[in-house]
Each structure stands twice: as structure tokens, then as C-alpha cells.
Amino acid sequence: MAEFTLHDETTAPEESRPHLAAGKKRMGFVTTLNAVMAESPELLAGYNALAEQFGKSSLPGPAKHVVWITASVVNGCEYCVAAHSTVALKNGVDAAAVEALRAGKPLADGALEAVRALTESMVADRGWVSDEQVERFLAAGYTRRHVLDVVLGVGMKTLSNYTNHIAHTPLDPAWADQAWTRD
């Protein structure tokens, strides 16, 4: 297994340091994910840029959490499921919804279920979402812009999920209460 360094503001390549600082400002600490990504300033910059843009996207807040958790569950990313479950709960997402997402089960809320189903299909089918799936999403009250915002969120999660798979990123203590294992 390849060993990846967990960088901090003193060991990271110079180009990564401002991105570590930005991540620290956003999260309150340097996550082990950012610490691993810091080895590649471009990856860390890209991830942070996608996180910022997805945060500004037109999707409602709870829908963003649905995208993050669903993509991470489908990709089997233990780190990201734990992290995003913690953040979702902290941001007022219903605990029953978070548990359903972690289990890959449908959500009771029809609008959020449409987000979950579209995200699940997008990740599982590598973007080859059926026209019928898109139409169901639109019928739930979302727009074409929202479809593309889900693409943005999935792209963001692809970077972090794959990094965590390759680097075996250790779970931050902040996410420990929501630890998750893939089946």
C-alpha cells in the first residue's frame, strides 16, 4: 500500500498552504482529507473550488447534503459518509433522513427523494442517467439548473471519494460518531 503524507500548514507544498488555510476556515480544522490532498496543490485547489461553487449552487441546503451523502454511499467512501453525515446533522437535516441515506434507502420527503434517486443513478450509471429519471426529478419541482448542480456535487465527491479510496484517509475525530462502513 502506498503511504500518503498527512500534511499540515508547515509540511505542505507552498502552493497548497493557502488552500489548507481556506479549508481550515471552512471546516474549523485541517481535515485529514485536505491533509492528503495537499500533496497535489492542484487537486486541493480544485476540490476547494468545487466545494465553494457547490455551496453557492441553486440547490437548497438539505438537497446538497443528500447529494454529498448519496454519492459517497454509492462510491463506498467511509470517510465522506461519516463526514457528511456529521455536517448534515449539525445543519439540521433530519436524523431519520440521514440514516436512510446512509443505508441507501428512499427518503420520506418526496423532493429530497428525487435528489437522492437522481444522484444515485448519476453515480451508479457514470452519468448515463435516463431521460425518465431526469423527468421524475424535474416533476418533483426541480429545474434543469438543479440537474447540472447535482453534476457539480457529484464531481466534487468523486475527487474526495477517490482520494480517500487510494490514500486510505484516516477518519478525523470530528466525524467518529458517524463512522460508517460499506457492506
Side-chain angles (χ1 to χ4, degrees):
M1 176 173 79
E3 295 288 327
F4 286 83
T5 302
L6 294 177
H7 287 286
D8 62 27
E9 298 95 332
T10 64
T11 65
E14 197 65 42
E15 303 93 332
S16 290
R17 292 177 187 185
H19 303 294
L20 282 178
K24 184 176 184 176
K25 182 177 180 186
R26 188 175 67 249
M27 299 303 297
F29 60 98
V30 174
T31 65
T32 53
L33 170 63
N34 278 199
V36 167
M37 286 182 164
E39 187 73 26
S40 169
E42 296 78 15
L43 174 61
L44 182 56
Y47 180 75
N48 282 345
L50 289 178
E52 180 181 348
Q53 293 306 309
F54 189 62
K56 294 178 186 178
S57 76
S58 66
L59 284 171
K64 291 173 186 164
H65 293 288
V66 170
V67 170
W68 285 323
I69 297 171
T70 301
S72 298
V73 166
V74 175
N75 280 326
C77 184
E78 296 176 355
Y79 179 97
C80 285
V81 172
H84 288 295
S85 297
T86 302
V87 174
L89 291 167
K90 185 185 285 188
N91 283 284
V93 176
D94 180 67
V98 171
E99 282 307 310
L101 290 168
R102 290 165 58 95
K105 306 252 185 209
L107 299 175
D109 180 296
L112 291 179
E113 172 54 21
V115 175
R116 188 203 65 79
L118 179 68
T119 304
E120 181 179 77
S121 177
M122 196 174 293
V123 176
D125 299 328
R126 296 183 183 103
W128 293 103
V129 177
S130 71
D131 291 341
E132 294 80 13
Q133 181 67 52
V134 173
E135 289 302 325
R136 282 192 296 274
F137 182 76
L138 296 172
Y142 293 102
T143 66
R144 286 168 181 76
R145 179 179 178 180
H146 291 127
V147 172
L148 298 175
D149 287 344
V150 171
V151 171
L152 175 62
V154 167
M156 175 193 166
K157 286 294 82 198
T158 300
L159 293 178
S160 61
N161 294 170
Y162 288 12
T163 297
N164 291 325
H165 295 339
I166 292 166
H168 305 281
T169 309
L171 193 62
D172 290 292
W175 320 137
D177 287 348
Q178 291 301 314
W180 179 86
T181 55
R182 62 188 175 106
D183 295 331

